[in-house]
Amino acid sequence: QGGPHAVENGLLLRSDLHRLYDQGYVTVDPDDRRLIVSPRIREEFDNGRHYYALEGQALAAPERGFRPVSHERLLFHAEQVYRG
């Protein structure tokens, strides 16, 4: 959605979760930084049980050298990209 592709944006390091994030099937609550998983994974792909087990999990703090993704970017993703 036009955001920068930068290592500092390494919000979700697992490639499967990052792909789902990019496609809007998961997002991160901008206030408490917990994972939100869209019910559309189940509806559209008849799949996702292991992703639903991650629902509500808090994201770990970034490693040294990585900046946390801004609240504004998380809010944009949750409101404009997420397929909730």
Side-chain angles (χ1 to χ4, degrees):
Q1 297 289 326
H5 294 279
V7 173
E8 296 83 25
N9 289 333
L11 178 66
L12 303 169
L13 298 178
R14 274 181 49 181
S15 62
D16 59 335
L17 289 175
H18 197 104
R19 199 169 311 120
L20 291 171
Y21 182 85
D22 286 346
Q23 295 172 356
Y25 290 105
V26 300
T27 196
V28 176
D29 183 293
D31 296 319
D32 66 10
R33 295 181 179 261
R34 293 187 180 276
L35 190 68
I36 300 171
V37 181
S38 173
R40 291 180 63 174
I41 293 175
R42 182 178 300 124
E43 295 166 6
E44 295 179 18
F45 303 106
D46 195 30
N47 195 350
R49 185 174 4 160
H50 57 282
Y51 296 115
Y52 291 107
L54 300 174
E55 175 84 29
Q57 294 286 321
L59 269 61
E63 295 180 18
R64 280 179 51 180
F66 289 87
R67 289 177 289 170
V69 176
S70 71
H71 182 272
E72 292 76 22
R73 287 197 183 155
L74 293 176
L75 184 61
F76 174 84
H77 185 272
E79 292 178 345
Q80 303 296 322
V81 180
Y82 178 61
R83 302 169 183 235

